[in-house]
Short mmCIF file of all heavy atoms in Angstrom, two decimals:
data_model
loop_
_atom_site.label_atom_id
_atom_site.label_comp_id
_atom_site.label_asym_id
_atom_site.label_seq_id
_atom_site.Cartn_x
_atom_site.Cartn_y
_atom_site.Cartn_z
N TYR A 96 106.82 82.86 127.97
CA TYR A 96 106.26 81.72 127.27
C TYR A 96 105.39 82.21 126.12
O TYR A 96 104.51 83.03 126.32
CB TYR A 96 105.44 80.87 128.26
CG TYR A 96 104.73 79.72 127.63
CD1 TYR A 96 105.44 78.60 127.23
CD2 TYR A 96 103.37 79.75 127.42
CE1 TYR A 96 104.79 77.53 126.65
CE2 TYR A 96 102.71 78.70 126.86
CZ TYR A 96 103.42 77.59 126.46
OH TYR A 96 102.78 76.54 125.87
N LEU A 97 105.64 81.70 124.90
CA LEU A 97 104.87 82.09 123.72
C LEU A 97 103.83 81.05 123.39
O LEU A 97 104.11 79.85 123.40
CB LEU A 97 105.79 82.28 122.53
CG LEU A 97 106.80 83.41 122.61
CD1 LEU A 97 107.75 83.37 121.42
CD2 LEU A 97 106.09 84.75 122.67
N THR A 98 102.62 81.50 123.10
CA THR A 98 101.55 80.60 122.70
C THR A 98 101.56 80.45 121.18
O THR A 98 102.30 81.15 120.48
CB THR A 98 100.18 81.15 123.14
OG1 THR A 98 99.93 82.36 122.41
CG2 THR A 98 100.15 81.42 124.64
N VAL A 99 100.71 79.56 120.68
CA VAL A 99 100.60 79.39 119.23
C VAL A 99 100.17 80.70 118.59
O VAL A 99 100.66 81.07 117.53
CB VAL A 99 99.61 78.26 118.89
CG1 VAL A 99 99.32 78.21 117.41
CG2 VAL A 99 100.16 76.93 119.36
N ARG A 100 99.27 81.44 119.20
CA ARG A 100 98.82 82.73 118.65
C ARG A 100 99.97 83.72 118.54
O ARG A 100 99.99 84.55 117.66
CB ARG A 100 97.71 83.33 119.52
CG ARG A 100 96.49 82.51 119.62
CD ARG A 100 95.33 82.78 118.75
NE ARG A 100 94.97 84.08 118.33
CZ ARG A 100 94.40 84.27 117.15
NH1 ARG A 100 94.22 83.27 116.34
NH2 ARG A 100 94.00 85.45 116.79
N ASP A 101 100.94 83.64 119.45
CA ASP A 101 102.10 84.52 119.39
C ASP A 101 103.04 84.14 118.26
O ASP A 101 103.87 84.94 117.84
CB ASP A 101 102.88 84.47 120.71
CG ASP A 101 102.09 84.99 121.88
OD1 ASP A 101 101.30 85.94 121.69
OD2 ASP A 101 102.26 84.46 122.99
N ARG A 102 102.93 82.91 117.78
CA ARG A 102 103.83 82.40 116.76
C ARG A 102 103.15 82.23 115.40
O ARG A 102 103.47 81.35 114.63
CB ARG A 102 104.41 81.06 117.20
CG ARG A 102 105.32 81.20 118.39
CD ARG A 102 105.82 79.84 118.82
NE ARG A 102 106.73 80.01 119.94
CZ ARG A 102 107.89 79.38 120.03
NH1 ARG A 102 108.27 78.57 119.09
NH2 ARG A 102 108.66 79.57 121.06
N GLU A 103 102.22 83.10 115.12
CA GLU A 103 101.54 83.05 113.82
C GLU A 103 102.47 83.53 112.72
O GLU A 103 103.42 84.28 112.96
CB GLU A 103 100.30 83.94 113.85
CG GLU A 103 99.20 83.40 114.72
CD GLU A 103 97.98 84.28 114.73
OE1 GLU A 103 98.09 85.46 114.32
OE2 GLU A 103 96.92 83.79 115.14
N CYS A 104 102.18 83.12 111.51
CA CYS A 104 103.00 83.52 110.37
C CYS A 104 103.13 85.04 110.27
O CYS A 104 104.18 85.55 109.89
CB CYS A 104 102.40 82.97 109.08
SG CYS A 104 102.51 81.17 108.93
N SER A 105 102.08 85.76 110.61
CA SER A 105 102.10 87.22 110.46
C SER A 105 103.15 87.89 111.34
O SER A 105 103.54 89.02 111.09
CB SER A 105 100.73 87.81 110.77
OG SER A 105 100.37 87.56 112.11
N THR A 106 103.66 87.19 112.37
CA THR A 106 104.68 87.76 113.25
C THR A 106 106.05 87.13 113.03
O THR A 106 106.98 87.37 113.79
CB THR A 106 104.29 87.59 114.73
OG1 THR A 106 104.24 86.19 115.05
CG2 THR A 106 102.96 88.25 115.03
N CYS A 107 106.18 86.35 111.98
CA CYS A 107 107.41 85.61 111.73
C CYS A 107 108.36 86.38 110.81
O CYS A 107 107.94 87.09 109.90
CB CYS A 107 107.08 84.26 111.08
SG CYS A 107 108.52 83.21 110.78
N LEU A 108 109.64 86.22 111.05
CA LEU A 108 110.67 86.84 110.23
C LEU A 108 110.55 86.42 108.76
O LEU A 108 110.83 87.20 107.86
CB LEU A 108 112.05 86.45 110.77
CG LEU A 108 113.26 86.85 109.96
CD1 LEU A 108 113.43 88.36 110.00
CD2 LEU A 108 114.51 86.17 110.50
N TRP A 109 110.14 85.20 108.50
CA TRP A 109 110.13 84.64 107.15
C TRP A 109 108.87 84.96 106.36
O TRP A 109 108.77 84.65 105.19
CB TRP A 109 110.32 83.12 107.21
CG TRP A 109 111.50 82.74 108.02
CD1 TRP A 109 111.50 82.10 109.23
CD2 TRP A 109 112.87 83.00 107.71
NE1 TRP A 109 112.79 81.95 109.67
CE2 TRP A 109 113.65 82.49 108.77
CE3 TRP A 109 113.52 83.62 106.65
CZ2 TRP A 109 115.03 82.57 108.79
CZ3 TRP A 109 114.90 83.71 106.67
CH2 TRP A 109 115.64 83.18 107.73
N PHE A 110 107.88 85.60 106.98
CA PHE A 110 106.61 85.91 106.32
C PHE A 110 106.76 87.19 105.49
O PHE A 110 107.22 88.21 105.98
CB PHE A 110 105.54 86.09 107.39
CG PHE A 110 104.15 86.24 106.85
CD1 PHE A 110 103.54 85.22 106.14
CD2 PHE A 110 103.44 87.40 107.08
CE1 PHE A 110 102.25 85.36 105.67
CE2 PHE A 110 102.15 87.55 106.61
CZ PHE A 110 101.55 86.53 105.90
N ASP A 111 106.34 87.13 104.21
CA ASP A 111 106.51 88.26 103.31
C ASP A 111 105.22 88.53 102.54
O ASP A 111 104.78 87.70 101.76
CB ASP A 111 107.64 87.95 102.34
CG ASP A 111 107.89 89.06 101.34
OD1 ASP A 111 107.40 90.19 101.54
OD2 ASP A 111 108.58 88.80 100.35
N ARG A 112 104.63 89.70 102.78
CA ARG A 112 103.42 90.10 102.06
C ARG A 112 103.73 91.08 100.93
O ARG A 112 102.83 91.59 100.30
CB ARG A 112 102.45 90.78 103.02
CG ARG A 112 101.68 89.87 103.87
CD ARG A 112 100.52 90.61 104.52
NE ARG A 112 99.73 89.72 105.30
CZ ARG A 112 99.56 89.82 106.61
NH1 ARG A 112 100.13 90.80 107.27
NH2 ARG A 112 98.82 88.96 107.25
N SER A 113 104.97 91.37 100.67
CA SER A 113 105.34 92.45 99.76
C SER A 113 104.82 92.26 98.33
O SER A 113 104.65 93.24 97.61
CB SER A 113 106.85 92.64 99.73
OG SER A 113 107.49 91.51 99.19
N LEU A 114 104.55 91.05 97.88
CA LEU A 114 104.10 90.84 96.52
C LEU A 114 102.58 90.84 96.39
O LEU A 114 102.05 90.76 95.29
CB LEU A 114 104.66 89.53 95.96
CG LEU A 114 106.18 89.51 95.84
CD1 LEU A 114 106.64 88.15 95.34
CD2 LEU A 114 106.66 90.60 94.92
N PHE A 115 101.88 90.93 97.51
CA PHE A 115 100.43 90.96 97.49
C PHE A 115 99.99 92.41 97.60
O PHE A 115 100.42 93.13 98.49
CB PHE A 115 99.85 90.13 98.63
CG PHE A 115 100.02 88.66 98.42
CD1 PHE A 115 101.17 88.02 98.83
CD2 PHE A 115 99.04 87.92 97.78
CE1 PHE A 115 101.36 86.67 98.62
CE2 PHE A 115 99.21 86.56 97.57
CZ PHE A 115 100.37 85.93 97.98
N GLU A 116 99.15 92.83 96.69
CA GLU A 116 98.72 94.23 96.64
C GLU A 116 97.20 94.31 96.69
O GLU A 116 96.51 93.32 96.56
CB GLU A 116 99.21 94.88 95.34
CG GLU A 116 100.71 94.90 95.21
CD GLU A 116 101.16 95.46 93.86
OE1 GLU A 116 100.28 95.75 93.02
OE2 GLU A 116 102.36 95.57 93.66
N GLY A 117 96.71 95.51 96.84
CA GLY A 117 95.29 95.74 96.80
C GLY A 117 94.67 95.83 98.18
O GLY A 117 95.35 95.78 99.20
N GLU A 118 93.35 95.95 98.17
CA GLU A 118 92.61 96.09 99.42
C GLU A 118 92.78 94.85 100.29
O GLU A 118 92.66 93.72 99.83
CB GLU A 118 91.13 96.28 99.11
CG GLU A 118 90.30 96.57 100.33
CD GLU A 118 88.86 96.84 99.97
OE1 GLU A 118 88.60 97.34 98.85
OE2 GLU A 118 88.00 96.56 100.80
N GLY A 119 93.10 95.04 101.53
CA GLY A 119 93.28 93.94 102.47
C GLY A 119 94.64 93.26 102.40
O GLY A 119 94.85 92.24 103.02
N ALA A 120 95.57 93.81 101.62
CA ALA A 120 96.89 93.17 101.46
C ALA A 120 97.64 93.10 102.79
O ALA A 120 98.43 92.18 102.99
CB ALA A 120 97.71 93.91 100.42
N ASP A 121 97.39 94.06 103.68
CA ASP A 121 98.10 94.05 104.96
C ASP A 121 97.56 92.99 105.92
O ASP A 121 98.16 92.72 106.95
CB ASP A 121 98.04 95.42 105.62
CG ASP A 121 96.63 95.90 105.86
OD1 ASP A 121 95.71 95.43 105.15
OD2 ASP A 121 96.44 96.74 106.75
N ALA A 122 96.44 92.37 105.58
CA ALA A 122 95.86 91.34 106.45
C ALA A 122 95.66 90.02 105.71
O ALA A 122 95.15 89.08 106.26
CB ALA A 122 94.53 91.82 107.00
N GLY A 123 96.08 89.97 104.47
CA GLY A 123 95.84 88.78 103.64
C GLY A 123 97.00 87.80 103.69
O GLY A 123 97.81 87.81 104.61
N PRO A 124 97.09 86.97 102.68
CA PRO A 124 98.13 85.95 102.63
C PRO A 124 99.50 86.53 102.35
O PRO A 124 99.64 87.70 101.99
CB PRO A 124 97.69 85.04 101.49
CG PRO A 124 96.94 85.95 100.58
CD PRO A 124 96.25 86.94 101.49
N GLY A 125 100.50 85.70 102.49
CA GLY A 125 101.87 86.09 102.19
C GLY A 125 102.68 84.86 101.82
O GLY A 125 102.18 83.75 101.82
N TYR A 126 103.93 85.07 101.49
CA TYR A 126 104.82 83.97 101.15
C TYR A 126 105.63 83.57 102.37
O TYR A 126 106.06 84.42 103.15
CB TYR A 126 105.81 84.38 100.05
CG TYR A 126 105.14 84.62 98.72
CD1 TYR A 126 104.98 85.90 98.23
CD2 TYR A 126 104.70 83.55 97.96
CE1 TYR A 126 104.39 86.13 97.01
CE2 TYR A 126 104.10 83.77 96.73
CZ TYR A 126 103.95 85.05 96.27
OH TYR A 126 103.36 85.27 95.06
N CYS A 127 105.86 82.28 102.53
CA CYS A 127 106.78 81.80 103.55
C CYS A 127 108.14 81.66 102.87
O CYS A 127 108.31 80.87 101.95
CB CYS A 127 106.33 80.44 104.09
SG CYS A 127 107.51 79.77 105.28
N ARG A 128 109.09 82.45 103.31
CA ARG A 128 110.42 82.45 102.69
C ARG A 128 111.47 81.75 103.56
O ARG A 128 112.65 82.05 103.48
CB ARG A 128 110.83 83.89 102.38
CG ARG A 128 109.86 84.56 101.42
CD ARG A 128 110.51 85.70 100.72
NE ARG A 128 109.61 86.39 99.83
CZ ARG A 128 109.44 86.10 98.55
NH1 ARG A 128 110.06 85.08 98.02
NH2 ARG A 128 108.63 86.82 97.80
N ARG A 129 111.03 80.81 104.37
CA ARG A 129 111.95 80.08 105.26
C ARG A 129 112.92 79.21 104.46
O ARG A 129 114.07 79.07 104.81
CB ARG A 129 111.14 79.22 106.23
CG ARG A 129 111.96 78.29 107.10
CD ARG A 129 112.85 79.06 108.06
NE ARG A 129 113.62 78.18 108.89
CZ ARG A 129 114.86 77.79 108.64
NH1 ARG A 129 115.47 78.19 107.55
NH2 ARG A 129 115.50 77.00 109.47
N TYR A 130 112.45 78.64 103.38
CA TYR A 130 113.28 77.75 102.55
C TYR A 130 113.32 78.28 101.12
O TYR A 130 112.49 79.08 100.73
CB TYR A 130 112.71 76.33 102.57
CG TYR A 130 112.81 75.69 103.93
CD1 TYR A 130 111.70 75.58 104.75
CD2 TYR A 130 114.03 75.22 104.41
CE1 TYR A 130 111.78 75.01 106.01
CE2 TYR A 130 114.13 74.66 105.67
CZ TYR A 130 113.01 74.55 106.46
OH TYR A 130 113.11 74.00 107.70
N PRO A 131 114.26 77.82 100.30
CA PRO A 131 114.33 78.25 98.90
C PRO A 131 113.04 77.87 98.16
O PRO A 131 112.31 76.98 98.59
CB PRO A 131 115.51 77.47 98.32
CG PRO A 131 116.29 77.00 99.48
CD PRO A 131 115.33 76.88 100.63
N PRO A 132 112.78 78.53 97.04
CA PRO A 132 111.58 78.19 96.26
C PRO A 132 111.58 76.73 95.84
O PRO A 132 112.64 76.11 95.67
CB PRO A 132 111.69 79.09 95.02
CG PRO A 132 112.60 80.18 95.41
CD PRO A 132 113.54 79.60 96.42
N VAL A 133 110.39 76.18 95.68
CA VAL A 133 110.25 74.81 95.20
C VAL A 133 109.86 74.85 93.74
O VAL A 133 109.23 75.80 93.26
CB VAL A 133 109.19 74.03 96.01
CG1 VAL A 133 109.64 73.85 97.44
CG2 VAL A 133 107.85 74.72 95.97
N PHE A 134 110.25 73.82 93.00
CA PHE A 134 109.92 73.71 91.59
C PHE A 134 108.70 72.82 91.43
O PHE A 134 108.55 71.83 92.15
CB PHE A 134 111.10 73.12 90.80
CG PHE A 134 112.26 74.06 90.73
CD1 PHE A 134 113.28 74.00 91.66
CD2 PHE A 134 112.31 75.02 89.73
CE1 PHE A 134 114.34 74.89 91.60
CE2 PHE A 134 113.38 75.91 89.67
CZ PHE A 134 114.39 75.83 90.60
N TYR A 135 107.82 73.17 90.50
CA TYR A 135 106.65 72.36 90.23
C TYR A 135 106.28 72.49 88.76
O TYR A 135 106.71 73.41 88.08
CB TYR A 135 105.48 72.75 91.14
CG TYR A 135 105.05 74.19 91.03
CD1 TYR A 135 104.00 74.56 90.19
CD2 TYR A 135 105.69 75.19 91.76
CE1 TYR A 135 103.61 75.89 90.09
CE2 TYR A 135 105.30 76.52 91.66
CZ TYR A 135 104.25 76.85 90.82
OH TYR A 135 103.87 78.16 90.72
N VAL A 136 105.51 71.54 88.28
CA VAL A 136 105.13 71.49 86.87
C VAL A 136 103.69 71.98 86.73
O VAL A 136 102.81 71.58 87.47
CB VAL A 136 105.25 70.05 86.32
CG1 VAL A 136 104.74 69.96 84.89
CG2 VAL A 136 106.68 69.58 86.42
N VAL A 137 103.48 72.86 85.74
CA VAL A 137 102.15 73.36 85.44
C VAL A 137 101.76 72.78 84.08
O VAL A 137 102.39 73.09 83.07
CB VAL A 137 102.13 74.91 85.38
CG1 VAL A 137 100.74 75.40 85.03
CG2 VAL A 137 102.62 75.49 86.69
N GLU A 138 100.76 71.95 84.08
CA GLU A 138 100.34 71.31 82.83
C GLU A 138 99.74 72.34 81.88
O GLU A 138 99.13 73.31 82.30
CB GLU A 138 99.33 70.21 83.13
CG GLU A 138 99.96 69.05 83.87
CD GLU A 138 99.04 67.87 83.96
OE1 GLU A 138 98.25 67.66 83.02
OE2 GLU A 138 99.13 67.16 84.96
N GLY A 139 99.98 72.14 80.59
CA GLY A 139 99.43 73.03 79.59
C GLY A 139 100.25 74.28 79.35
O GLY A 139 99.78 75.22 78.73
N ARG A 140 101.49 74.32 79.83
CA ARG A 140 102.33 75.51 79.63
C ARG A 140 103.28 75.36 78.45
O ARG A 140 104.23 76.12 78.32
CB ARG A 140 103.15 75.79 80.89
CG ARG A 140 102.31 76.34 81.98
CD ARG A 140 102.75 77.56 82.63
NE ARG A 140 103.81 78.33 82.00
CZ ARG A 140 104.42 79.32 82.57
NH1 ARG A 140 104.12 79.64 83.80
NH2 ARG A 140 105.35 80.01 81.96
N GLY A 141 103.08 74.38 77.62
CA GLY A 141 103.88 74.24 76.40
C GLY A 141 105.32 73.83 76.68
O GLY A 141 105.57 72.86 77.38
N ASN A 142 106.28 74.59 76.11
CA ASN A 142 107.69 74.23 76.20
C ASN A 142 108.32 74.51 77.55
O ASN A 142 109.42 74.06 77.83
CB ASN A 142 108.49 74.99 75.13
CG ASN A 142 108.10 74.56 73.73
OD1 ASN A 142 107.62 73.45 73.54
ND2 ASN A 142 108.29 75.44 72.77
N ASN A 143 107.67 75.28 78.40
CA ASN A 143 108.25 75.64 79.69
C ASN A 143 107.26 75.36 80.83
O ASN A 143 106.72 76.28 81.43
CB ASN A 143 108.65 77.12 79.68
CG ASN A 143 109.50 77.48 80.87
OD1 ASN A 143 109.97 76.62 81.59
ND2 ASN A 143 109.67 78.76 81.10
N PRO A 144 107.04 74.06 81.14
CA PRO A 144 106.04 73.72 82.14
C PRO A 144 106.52 73.86 83.59
O PRO A 144 105.74 73.73 84.51
CB PRO A 144 105.72 72.26 81.83
CG PRO A 144 107.02 71.73 81.31
CD PRO A 144 107.62 72.88 80.53
N VAL A 145 107.79 74.12 83.80
CA VAL A 145 108.33 74.17 85.16
C VAL A 145 108.32 75.61 85.68
O VAL A 145 108.77 76.53 85.01
CB VAL A 145 109.77 73.61 85.21
CG1 VAL A 145 110.33 73.71 86.61
CG2 VAL A 145 109.79 72.17 84.74
N LYS A 146 107.77 75.78 86.87
CA LYS A 146 107.75 77.08 87.53
C LYS A 146 108.38 76.90 88.91
O LYS A 146 108.60 75.79 89.36
CB LYS A 146 106.32 77.59 87.70
CG LYS A 146 105.66 77.98 86.39
CD LYS A 146 104.32 78.61 86.64
CE LYS A 146 104.53 80.00 87.15
NZ LYS A 146 103.32 80.78 87.34
N GLN A 147 108.63 77.99 89.56
CA GLN A 147 109.13 77.93 90.93
C GLN A 147 108.33 78.89 91.79
O GLN A 147 107.81 79.89 91.30
CB GLN A 147 110.61 78.25 91.01
CG GLN A 147 110.96 79.68 90.70
CD GLN A 147 112.43 79.95 90.87
OE1 GLN A 147 113.21 79.06 91.15
NE2 GLN A 147 112.83 81.19 90.70
N GLY A 148 108.24 78.59 93.05
CA GLY A 148 107.50 79.47 93.95
C GLY A 148 107.68 79.06 95.39
O GLY A 148 108.25 78.02 95.69
N GLN A 149 107.18 79.91 96.25
CA GLN A 149 107.25 79.63 97.67
C GLN A 149 105.83 79.47 98.19
O GLN A 149 104.89 80.00 97.60
CB GLN A 149 107.99 80.76 98.38
CG GLN A 149 109.45 80.72 97.98
CD GLN A 149 110.24 81.88 98.48
OE1 GLN A 149 109.98 83.00 98.09
NE2 GLN A 149 111.20 81.60 99.31
N PRO A 150 105.67 78.73 99.26
CA PRO A 150 104.32 78.49 99.77
C PRO A 150 103.59 79.79 100.12
O PRO A 150 104.18 80.70 100.68
CB PRO A 150 104.55 77.67 101.04
CG PRO A 150 105.92 77.11 100.91
CD PRO A 150 106.69 78.08 100.07
N VAL A 151 102.33 79.84 99.77
CA VAL A 151 101.47 80.95 100.16
C VAL A 151 100.76 80.53 101.43
O VAL A 151 100.14 79.47 101.47
CB VAL A 151 100.45 81.29 99.05
CG1 VAL A 151 99.49 82.37 99.53
CG2 VAL A 151 101.18 81.73 97.79
N VAL A 152 100.88 81.34 102.47
CA VAL A 152 100.27 81.03 103.76
C VAL A 152 99.44 82.21 104.24
O VAL A 152 99.67 83.35 103.83
CB VAL A 152 101.33 80.66 104.83
CG1 VAL A 152 102.08 79.40 104.44
CG2 VAL A 152 102.32 81.80 105.03
N GLN A 153 98.49 81.93 105.09
CA GLN A 153 97.69 82.97 105.72
C GLN A 153 98.41 83.47 106.96
O GLN A 153 99.19 82.74 107.57
CB GLN A 153 96.31 82.42 106.11
CG GLN A 153 95.47 81.98 104.93
CD GLN A 153 95.08 83.14 104.04
OE1 GLN A 153 94.91 84.27 104.49
NE2 GLN A 153 94.94 82.87 102.75
N GLY A 154 98.16 84.70 107.35
CA GLY A 154 98.81 85.28 108.52
C GLY A 154 98.51 84.57 109.81
O GLY A 154 99.31 84.56 110.74
N TRP A 155 97.36 83.89 109.90
CA TRP A 155 96.97 83.21 111.14
C TRP A 155 97.53 81.78 111.23
O TRP A 155 97.42 81.14 112.25
CB TRP A 155 95.44 83.17 111.27
CG TRP A 155 94.74 82.65 110.04
CD1 TRP A 155 94.20 83.40 109.05
CD2 TRP A 155 94.53 81.29 109.67
NE1 TRP A 155 93.67 82.60 108.06
CE2 TRP A 155 93.86 81.29 108.43
CE3 TRP A 155 94.85 80.07 110.24
CZ2 TRP A 155 93.49 80.13 107.77
CZ3 TRP A 155 94.48 78.91 109.58
CH2 TRP A 155 93.81 78.96 108.37
N GLU A 156 98.15 81.29 110.15
CA GLU A 156 98.71 79.93 110.18
C GLU A 156 100.01 79.94 110.99
O GLU A 156 100.55 80.99 111.33
CB GLU A 156 98.97 79.43 108.77
CG GLU A 156 97.69 79.21 108.00
CD GLU A 156 97.96 78.63 106.63
OE1 GLU A 156 98.32 79.41 105.73
OE2 GLU A 156 97.79 77.41 106.47
N TRP A 157 100.53 78.78 111.28
CA TRP A 157 101.76 78.67 112.05
C TRP A 157 102.47 77.36 111.71
O TRP A 157 101.88 76.46 111.12
CB TRP A 157 101.49 78.75 113.55
CG TRP A 157 100.64 77.62 114.05
CD1 TRP A 157 99.27 77.55 114.02
CD2 TRP A 157 101.09 76.40 114.60
NE1 TRP A 157 98.85 76.38 114.54
CE2 TRP A 157 99.95 75.63 114.91
CE3 TRP A 157 102.34 75.87 114.89
CZ2 TRP A 157 100.03 74.37 115.47
CZ3 TRP A 157 102.41 74.60 115.46
CH2 TRP A 157 101.26 73.88 115.74
N CYS A 158 103.75 77.27 112.07
CA CYS A 158 104.51 76.02 111.90
C CYS A 158 105.61 75.97 112.95
O CYS A 158 105.74 76.88 113.75
CB CYS A 158 105.10 75.93 110.50
SG CYS A 158 106.54 76.98 110.24
N GLY A 159 106.41 74.96 112.92
CA GLY A 159 107.49 74.81 113.90
C GLY A 159 108.77 75.57 113.55
O GLY A 159 109.76 75.46 114.25
N GLU A 160 108.74 76.35 112.47
CA GLU A 160 109.93 77.08 112.03
C GLU A 160 109.88 78.57 112.37
O GLU A 160 110.69 79.35 111.88
CB GLU A 160 110.11 76.91 110.52
CG GLU A 160 110.28 75.48 110.07
CD GLU A 160 111.63 74.92 110.47
OE1 GLU A 160 112.60 75.68 110.59
OE2 GLU A 160 111.71 73.69 110.65
N TRP A 161 108.92 79.00 113.17
CA TRP A 161 108.72 80.41 113.49
C TRP A 161 109.98 81.03 114.08
O TRP A 161 110.65 80.44 114.91
CB TRP A 161 107.57 80.56 114.48
CG TRP A 161 107.24 81.97 114.85
CD1 TRP A 161 106.40 82.80 114.19
CD2 TRP A 161 107.74 82.70 115.96
NE1 TRP A 161 106.33 84.01 114.82
CE2 TRP A 161 107.15 83.98 115.92
CE3 TRP A 161 108.62 82.41 116.99
CZ2 TRP A 161 107.42 84.96 116.87
CZ3 TRP A 161 108.89 83.39 117.93
CH2 TRP A 161 108.28 84.65 117.87
N THR A 162 110.31 82.24 113.61
CA THR A 162 111.45 83.00 114.12
C THR A 162 110.97 84.42 114.38
O THR A 162 110.30 85.02 113.53
CB THR A 162 112.60 83.03 113.10
OG1 THR A 162 112.98 81.69 112.79
CG2 THR A 162 113.79 83.78 113.63
N LYS A 163 111.32 84.96 115.51
CA LYS A 163 110.89 86.32 115.89
C LYS A 163 111.35 87.33 114.85
O LYS A 163 112.52 87.35 114.48
CB LYS A 163 111.43 86.68 117.26
CG LYS A 163 110.96 88.02 117.75
CD LYS A 163 111.51 88.30 119.12
CE LYS A 163 111.06 89.69 119.58
NZ LYS A 163 111.55 90.01 120.90
N ALA A 164 110.42 88.16 114.40
CA ALA A 164 110.74 89.20 113.40
C ALA A 164 111.47 90.36 114.04
O ALA A 164 111.38 90.65 115.16
CB ALA A 164 109.47 89.67 112.73
#
């Protein structure tokens, strides 16, 4: 039986910290790559206001999509 603590983002297959660098990167936030990137508009970006990205989550967070790494 797995508890919520066992199913934290930091232990999930979809959790990716590879783009975060620097001190504490191994314990800091990461990207949730469970779904494709989402598109969003950034105001003040001129001719190209649309960006894409994936949710940034903390290692201690959790959701119902957890998959064993």
Side-chain angles (χ1 to χ4, degrees):
Y96 175 75
L97 295 173
T98 66
V99 171
R100 299 263 326 148
D101 296 326
R102 294 178 178 225
E103 290 181 343
C104 292
S105 63
T106 64
C107 183
L108 173 69
W109 308 112
F110 187 64
D111 179 15
R112 281 194 177 117
S113 66
L114 296 178
F115 289 87
E116 299 175 356
E118 186 176 331
D121 59 336
Y126 292 107
C127 176
R128 299 202 182 270
R129 173 65 179 95
Y130 294 103
V133 294
F134 291 93
Y135 58 96
V136 175
V137 179
E138 293 190 33
R140 286 231 14 190
N142 295 335
N143 191 11
V145 178
K146 291 186 75 176
Q147 68 177 4
Q149 291 173 296
V151 175
V152 297
Q153 296 294 329
W155 50 264
E156 293 184 280
W157 63 276
C158 76
E160 300 289 332
W161 182 88
T162 303
K163 183 179 178 180

